[in-house]
Amino acid sequence: MEEQNKNAKRREHIKTFLIIFLALLLVLTFFSNTILNYSLPTVSAQYASYGTITERVRGSGIVMANQKYEVVAEGNRTVTSVSVKVGDEIKAGDPLFVLDASQNDEAVKEAEAAIEAAELEYQKALLTAVPDYAKENQEIAAAREDLQIAIHRLNAAKNTTGKISDAAYKQATDDAQKAAEHITELTGYLTLAGSGETDGIPAAYTGGLQAAKAAHDAALDALEQAKADLEAKKAALTVTSAEQQATIQELERAAETAETAYARAKADYEANTQDITLQRAMEDAEQTARYAREDADAAAAALTGIQAQETAIAQAQTAVNDAETAERNANKALNDAISGVTAAIQRDMDAANAQADAAAAVLNAYNQQGSSGEAMDITALEDAVTQQERTVQTLLITLAETQKADELTQQIGDLDLQTKQADIEKQKAELEELKKNSGTVTVKSKNAGVVSTVNAVTGDEVTDGMVLAEITLTDAGYTVQFSVTAEQARKVSIGSLADITNGYYSDLTAKLVSAKANTEEPGSSGKILTFDITGSDVTVGEMLSLSINCSSNSYDCVVPSSSIMEDNDGKFVLVVRSRSTPLGNRYYVSRANITVLASDETNSAVQGDVTYSDFVVTASEEPLTPGKQVRMED
Amino acid sequence: MRVTKKQALRLICALVFLVLCFTAAKISATLAAGLDSQKAAERWAAGGEEDYAQISVFLSRDSGFTEESISGISDTVDAALVTASLKAEEDTRLWYSAYSTQIGEMELTGNRRNAASAVVTAVSGDFFTMHPMRLADGSYLKADDLMQDRVVLDTKLAWQLFGSSEVSGMEVIVNDTPCLVAGVVQPETDGASQVAYGDKPRAYIPYALYDQLQTAGEGESQWISCYEAVLPDPVRNFAKTTIENAISAGDGVHIVQNTERYSLSHRWDTLRHLHDLMIIPDSTAYPYWENAARIREFDTAVLLGLELLLLIFPVIYGLRLLWKGYRFLERFMAEKRKAHQRRFRTI
């Protein structure tokens, strides 16, 4: 009984366990999709699309005025009151400071003493001596008289010199005769050389001529021999190879014809061996064919010999041509040698002619002078004249220099006097001014603008030239500058307009006017961008943030920068793909390798395995691997 | 053979301990896998055949490590890779590095009236490749950004400054310098990272902006507190040795290999020297992700200890069962031999 109860209980437990198990199975099956979805990582994605990539360069700077001017104190004074403060807008003529002249009296006394001293110097400078040149003129006159005396002595000496002696005359006569004889001899040589008879010409002139002649004779002999050889070979050739080939062709045709006839005759005989006529015809045809073949073969054999003869003729012709060339060269060398001989003789002829001419000139001069004379030495007298001329010149030049120097000194003195006078006038005017300003004075603004700095307060002691305030001129425009890297500077272009990003300014425009090297940081490769600011709604000292567009290009495939990932295989994006299953659409990610073409702060233009309209993952809950199933963010 | 209650209880205990041991191992693996900041090498390898390792270097201010040191390190690593015949494919990178400096607290102002104080970290261009926090809006900072005046906020800071997370492109003032928001990130959600992250909101700025805020004309390079790299590891310890040679380890330099941090052997070492985890060398300040990793190191080391403890009883029980089974088999074979002998005798 107990055993039965135990078994019943066991069966109950098993039944209960099975029911629970089946219920659990059913629930899990129905909600498997939901459970699966919740276990998948959530991703957010965007479509890759056609778009533009625009890079921007940003920066901030303080607005500065393009021009400003400084208000300067005149004289040593005390500030009684200050009428403006930093930031005030003022017009031309507005009062800025009131200054008191408590320290002016000493300045007046100093100025008066300075004027007196200057006038004394001026009076002293007026007393100058007039230059006198009587002594120099006297020296020049004396030097000229000495020169005249020296010239007179020289002329007197020259009248007894310059004649040709008898000994010189005799020498010239001998020279003329010798020259005439030599000329006659050389004329004979020239005639022989012109006719080609060089035997009578001395060996001094005909040096290389014999060798040239021998070479020319040898070349002529060689040429004649080559020609003879060629003629002999030409005569030996009776038939040309072309003619022989024509003959061979005819004989070949005849042989073939005879052989064909023989073949036919043979065939006829074989068809009817009893016919004697056919047999005889065959035998005749065979003999004819054999003779014809032998003739053709002989002709063919002869062709080889004819071709060899023609080759030898061609070679002999080449030899003749070479011999002709050698003969021409030898002839030219011989003509050159003869020309050389003639030229040498002509040179000696010219020298002899010159010698004869010189002798004839001496003889002529002797005949004209009528008598002989003794040559006298006049060099010393000529030297004396030259020396005296130089002395006179030197004295004249010295006088001219002295006069010029004195004139220059006079002019400098006049200028100094003028300067001293002007200085005195200026000091007098300043004294008048000092005397006039000895009372309280109001400093007024010369231009309209905005007060940017005030350097003095009431009660300050200011010195002459001290800057009391700085006024920025509102009419000259404003600038903003900020520094950028070299890379950023390369991207912007001069003349572009920039947007003002820190606030709303209705009529302000900012235009990039320059990009210069950053000199404030030596060694830096950065640049300073300067913008011209125009408009009415601007204040000096205000901070403006500017943003300027760089290049802007359109691309077919632009994705958010946050979707680009990288590993050792390069850059890639994860593209969401879907596949349909019996339980609905399943999403999974796949890898698409890309290269980045351009990027700005939010997007990047890419190319590669991703195309326009692909759904790329921009963020996910956990790291993803290609092929992993994901769930889309709602 | 009848099984007694005691034996059944022992068997059930052994099975339960085994299950608990495997559960602890699974929890340990899950905890380690939850730290994305330690899995940069796996992400970079992307399932390829090459092995990569992630190396982190933590530096104190006295170590003298500045931005100017980075190019020297890159050259040394490139040379080591060339020597090892490792070459990148066209348009790909073989390795990359990221560096950061935890600057401290700064005042930031958005379009709400109150300023917020946030912990600001200066980061290099590849920082977010190394630490891909979830983007709530916008995009990360990149090395090739034209303008280096953008910042990344975390969701808490974005809420405090603007009242929303979708604030990319809006202006934020950092220490009186106007900047733009590049993106908003969600901090890591695993337990260790949340503890290490702290309650203060965080912002990330590029080094160029840090230079502008900090030096203002001094011309000095900023110091770097954390340098991380992912590079090929064709043989054991190649990556770590390369980085050690490039950085010249010394005082104020602490190098960690993240990739094998939670391996069995490393967990055993950590368990044996658990106190070392409590000590921070020199004046190095660890960033929050390293603190989170150290928390998990501690956790996984402790879990390893628990696993070993839980394994004791099943192992002993299993050995005892084996011994009993061996004895049973011995007795069985002996009886068989006796019965066989008895039959022969009868015959």
Side-chain angles (χ1 to χ4, degrees):
Chain A
M1 190 69 178
E2 275 186 22
E3 196 71 29
Q4 279 180 346
N5 283 342
K6 256 193 190 169
N7 285 338
K9 266 194 185 168
R10 201 181 292 158
R11 281 200 293 274
E12 275 303 314
H13 286 320
I14 291 171
K15 216 192 308 178
T16 310
F17 172 72
L18 277 174
I19 288 169
I20 293 171
F21 177 74
L22 283 172
L24 208 61
L25 197 65
L26 212 64
V27 164
L28 286 174
T29 306
F30 274 122
F31 291 99
S32 61
N33 213 21
T34 312
I35 294 167
L36 176 66
N37 271 348
Y38 275 102
S39 69
L40 295 176
T42 311
V43 300
S44 54
Q46 285 185 30
Y47 283 107
S49 61
Y50 176 83
T52 50
I53 297 291
T54 304
E55 289 178 303
R56 299 183 75 91
V57 171
R58 290 187 300 278
S60 301
I62 308 285
V63 176
M64 298 181 296
N66 282 342
Q67 284 188 24
K68 57 184 177 183
Y69 93 93
E70 293 171 341
V71 178
V72 170
E74 292 170 7
N76 299 334
R77 295 173 177 274
T78 307
V79 178
T80 310
S81 71
V82 178
S83 310
V84 293
K85 58 183 184 305
V86 173
D88 282 351
E89 284 189 30
I90 53 174
K91 293 189 278 296
D94 283 355
L96 302 172
F97 300 91
V98 176
L99 304 177
D100 190 12
S102 60
Q103 297 176 26
N104 231 12
D105 296 337
E106 279 187 22
V108 167
K109 282 181 188 160
E110 281 173 12
E112 283 173 346
I115 287 169
E116 274 183 31
E119 279 183 339
L120 184 61
E121 286 297 317
Y122 179 71
Q123 292 302 325
K124 282 183 188 172
L126 280 175
L127 302 170
T128 52
V130 177
D132 181 16
Y133 305 110
K135 183 181 166 202
E136 285 85 353
N137 287 330
Q138 195 179 3
E139 284 173 3
I140 288 169
R144 280 187 172 142
E145 280 182 20
D146 291 340
L147 176 62
Q148 289 303 320
I149 293 166
I151 290 171
H152 185 70
R153 281 194 193 136
L154 176 64
N155 288 336
K158 268 191 178 172
N159 284 334
T160 59
T161 59
K163 310 284 187 177
I164 296 173
S165 62
D166 288 340
Y169 173 77
K170 194 172 181 313
Q171 182 63 41
T173 309
D174 288 341
D175 287 343
Q177 191 173 356
K178 277 184 192 164
E181 285 168 8
H182 198 202
I183 285 167
T184 307
E185 191 181 26
L186 288 174
T187 305
Y189 292 155
L190 272 176
T191 309
L192 284 174
S195 65
E197 299 289 329
T198 57
D199 293 337
I201 300 175
Y205 294 110
T206 60
L209 187 59
Q210 299 301 326
K213 256 191 159 177
H216 183 244
D217 292 340
L220 270 175
D221 290 339
L223 177 62
E224 280 168 14
Q225 196 169 352
K227 279 182 176 171
D229 184 41
L230 176 65
E231 290 305 316
K233 286 194 164 89
K234 277 182 175 173
L237 183 70
T238 51
V239 176
T240 64
S241 61
E243 289 167 354
Q244 185 67 13
Q245 276 177 347
T247 307
I248 289 169
Q249 198 174 11
E250 283 174 15
L251 290 173
E252 279 288 328
R253 282 184 187 146
E256 282 171 12
T257 308
E259 282 163 358
T260 307
Y262 166 62
R264 283 199 194 113
K266 189 174 173 188
D268 291 341
Y269 169 68
E270 284 171 359
N272 188 4
T273 52
Q274 304 301 319
D275 191 348
I276 300 293
T277 313
L278 288 178
Q279 186 182 357
R280 284 193 186 137
M282 183 192 73
E283 286 169 0
D284 291 340
E286 188 268 332
Q287 190 182 31
T288 308
R290 186 161 25 90
Y291 288 158
R293 177 51 57 197
E294 281 172 5
D295 290 342
D297 291 344
L303 178 63
T304 309
I306 292 168
Q307 283 173 340
Q309 276 183 302
E310 287 179 342
T311 305
I313 289 170
Q315 285 172 350
Q317 181 65 48
T318 306
V320 165
N321 294 341
D322 291 342
E324 282 175 349
T325 305
E327 190 275 331
R328 276 198 296 275
N329 290 339
N331 193 31
K332 186 171 176 302
L334 178 62
N335 291 336
D336 288 342
I338 293 171
S339 301
V341 167
T342 309
I345 296 170
Q346 186 64 44
R347 271 198 298 277
D348 284 352
M349 174 78 82
D350 291 339
N353 279 330
Q355 204 175 357
D357 288 340
V362 171
L363 291 172
N364 200 27
Y366 181 83
N367 290 332
Q368 279 187 359
Q369 78 185 21
S371 63
S372 70
E374 292 297 319
M376 290 177 68
D377 186 8
I378 61 165
T379 309
L381 289 173
E382 283 177 343
D383 285 346
V385 167
T386 308
Q387 192 66 34
Q388 199 56 37
E389 280 176 349
R390 281 181 191 158
T391 305
V392 169
Q393 275 308 110
T394 304
L395 285 172
L396 283 170
I397 288 166
T398 307
L399 176 61
E401 282 176 1
T402 307
Q403 282 174 336
K404 206 187 272 186
D406 287 342
E407 199 180 315
L408 194 63
T409 308
Q410 183 71 29
Q411 284 175 356
I412 291 168
D414 288 341
L415 279 173
D416 283 342
L417 281 173
Q418 283 174 15
T419 308
K420 282 189 165 72
Q421 195 176 12
D423 198 32
I424 290 167
E425 294 301 320
K426 187 179 160 196
Q427 285 181 20
K428 281 181 178 168
E430 283 175 5
L431 177 65
E432 288 303 315
E433 194 66 34
L434 272 173
K435 283 179 179 168
K436 207 192 300 179
N437 291 337
S438 60
T440 303
V441 69
T442 303
V443 177
K444 294 182 182 169
S445 170
K446 290 178 189 161
N447 302 92
V450 172
V451 177
S452 60
T453 51
V454 175
N455 297 331
V457 296
T458 305
D460 276 353
E461 305 278 344
V462 297
T463 53
D464 187 40
M466 180 175 155
V467 176
L468 297 172
E470 284 181 4
I471 315 283
T472 54
L473 303 180
T474 48
D475 297 334
Y478 305 92
T479 54
V480 166
Q481 289 183 336
F482 55 82
S483 64
V484 295
T485 63
E487 169 86 23
Q488 290 161 356
R490 268 195 292 274
K491 300 262 183 181
V492 298
S493 49
I494 307 291
S496 313
L497 292 178
D499 299 322
I500 300 170
T501 58
N502 63 328
Y504 179 68
Y505 296 90
S506 56
D507 66 344
L508 268 192
T509 54
K511 186 172 162 188
L512 178 65
V513 293
S514 76
K516 292 190 184 148
N518 187 353
T519 52
E520 288 170 23
E521 291 176 28
S524 155
S525 62
K527 304 259 176 156
I528 302 270
L529 297 185
T530 304
F531 293 83
D532 216 21
I533 309 291
T534 48
S536 59
D537 191 16
V538 64
T539 314
V540 170
E542 180 183 7
M543 169 83 82
L544 280 186
S545 294
L546 303 175
S547 171
I548 186 166
N549 268 10
C550 305
S551 60
S552 181
N553 290 311
S554 300
Y555 296 90
D556 289 333
C557 189
V558 173
V559 298
S561 296
S562 58
S563 65
I564 296 174
M565 297 173 226
E566 186 181 3
D567 62 15
N568 70 336
D569 282 336
K571 295 191 177 175
F572 64 97
V573 294
L574 291 173
V575 178
V576 178
R577 306 242 186 254
S578 69
R579 59 168 175 253
S580 88
T581 66
L583 296 172
N585 269 350
R586 290 275 177 256
Y587 299 102
Y588 66 98
V589 291
S590 73
R591 179 189 172 116
N593 289 325
I594 55 159
T595 48
V596 177
L597 300 175
S599 62
D600 59 21
E601 286 167 0
T602 50
N603 295 317
S604 298
V606 299
Q607 72 175 18
D609 296 337
V610 65
T611 57
Y612 167 83
S613 84
D614 273 343
F615 212 33
V616 296
V617 173
T618 56
S620 72
E621 278 180 337
E622 57 186 59
L624 302 173
T625 51
K628 188 165 180 142
Q629 261 193 2
V630 295
R631 178 163 66 103
M632 302 305 299
E633 197 175 46
D634 291 333
Chain B
M1 191 175 86
R2 260 192 96 187
V3 177
T4 62
K5 246 191 189 173
K6 212 176 171 182
Q7 284 172 337
L9 198 63
R10 279 198 205 123
L11 182 63
I12 288 167
C13 275
L15 287 174
V16 164
F17 276 28
L18 260 181
V19 166
L20 286 174
C21 179
F22 283 129
T23 308
K26 184 68 183 163
I27 292 171
S28 185
T30 307
L31 288 176
L35 288 174
D36 285 339
S37 62
Q38 306 298 309
K39 296 195 302 192
E42 287 172 32
R43 287 194 297 275
W44 191 252
E49 289 175 359
E50 297 86 7
D51 288 332
Y52 286 84
Q54 179 183 352
I55 309 294
S56 299
V57 184
F58 304 101
L59 306 129
S60 67
R61 195 186 273 267
D62 302 331
S63 65
F65 201 77
T66 63
E67 279 185 271
E68 289 174 349
S69 319
I70 296 296
S71 61
I73 295 170
S74 299
D75 291 340
T76 308
V77 172
D78 285 335
L81 294 176
V82 166
T83 307
S85 304
L86 295 166
K87 209 174 118 177
E89 305 277 326
E90 197 182 329
D91 289 334
T92 65
R93 291 192 288 171
L94 197 55
W95 72 287
Y96 75 99
S97 66
Y99 51 94
S100 56
T101 303
Q102 186 151 314
I103 300 165
E105 291 197 25
M106 282 189 183
E107 291 285 319
L108 284 87
T109 315
N111 61 3
R112 283 180 142 186
R113 286 194 188 167
N114 295 335
S117 179
V119 176
V120 176
T121 306
V123 300
S124 68
D126 275 320
F127 176 82
F128 290 101
T129 310
M130 191 74 71
H131 301 274
M133 291 173 248
R134 189 187 170 207
L135 269 172
D137 190 35
S139 58
Y140 298 128
L141 300 175
K142 293 195 302 290
D144 53 2
D145 279 342
L146 182 64
M147 293 305 298
Q148 294 286 320
D149 63 346
R150 302 194 305 153
V151 301
V152 169
L153 314 177
D154 71 358
T155 47
K156 194 185 284 185
L157 185 59
W159 174 257
Q160 286 184 10
L161 296 180
F162 299 98
S164 166
S165 290
E166 293 180 12
V167 295
S168 62
M170 292 182 73
E171 189 179 84
V172 60
I173 312 288
V174 181
N175 258 24
D176 299 325
T177 304
C179 306
L180 289 189
V181 177
V184 179
V185 291
Q186 173 85 40
E188 291 90 332
T189 51
D190 64 277
S193 295
Q194 285 186 340
V195 169
Y197 199 85
D199 295 327
K200 285 251 174 215
R202 288 177 185 259
Y204 303 91
I205 66 173
Y207 269 91
L209 183 57
Y210 180 29
D211 287 343
Q212 200 180 324
L213 294 174
Q214 199 73 2
T215 58
E218 283 178 21
E220 288 179 4
S221 292
Q222 306 301 334
W223 75 292
I224 288 169
S225 64
C226 173
Y227 177 83
E228 301 166 284
V230 170
L231 57 160
D233 196 31
V235 296
R236 197 177 162 78
N237 283 331
F238 171 82
K240 191 173 179 194
T241 312
T242 304
I243 295 294
E244 279 172 349
N245 291 342
I247 288 190
S248 310
D251 287 341
V253 177
H254 183 219
I255 300 178
V256 169
Q257 177 151 349
N258 309 72
T259 314
E260 290 188 350
R261 203 162 195 168
Y262 304 107
S263 64
L264 191 61
S265 59
H266 189 85
R267 286 163 64 200
W268 171 244
D269 283 339
T270 308
L271 184 63
R272 287 193 300 125
H273 305 105
L274 207 54
H275 288 159
D276 288 349
L277 272 181
M278 311 302 170
I279 302 168
I280 298 172
D282 306 321
S283 59
T284 310
Y286 289 133
Y288 79 85
W289 56 85
E290 174 62 15
N291 283 331
R294 288 163 68 87
I295 291 172
R296 284 296 178 243
E297 263 188 291
F298 178 83
D299 293 341
T300 54
V302 168
L303 280 170
L304 178 65
L306 185 62
E307 288 163 33
L308 291 172
L309 280 173
L310 287 171
L311 268 180
I312 291 173
F313 181 72
V315 165
I316 293 172
Y317 185 74
L319 286 172
R320 197 157 172 264
L321 268 183
L322 275 174
W323 174 249
K324 277 193 168 175
Y326 171 73
R327 290 298 303 270
F328 175 78
L329 201 62
E330 215 179 24
R331 278 199 301 273
F332 180 76
M333 293 305 291
E335 279 176 16
K336 274 281 197 191
R337 272 199 300 274
K338 278 182 190 168
H340 191 71
Q341 281 168 5
R342 273 202 298 272
R343 201 178 300 137
F344 267 124
R345 273 196 220 116
T346 310
I347 292 167

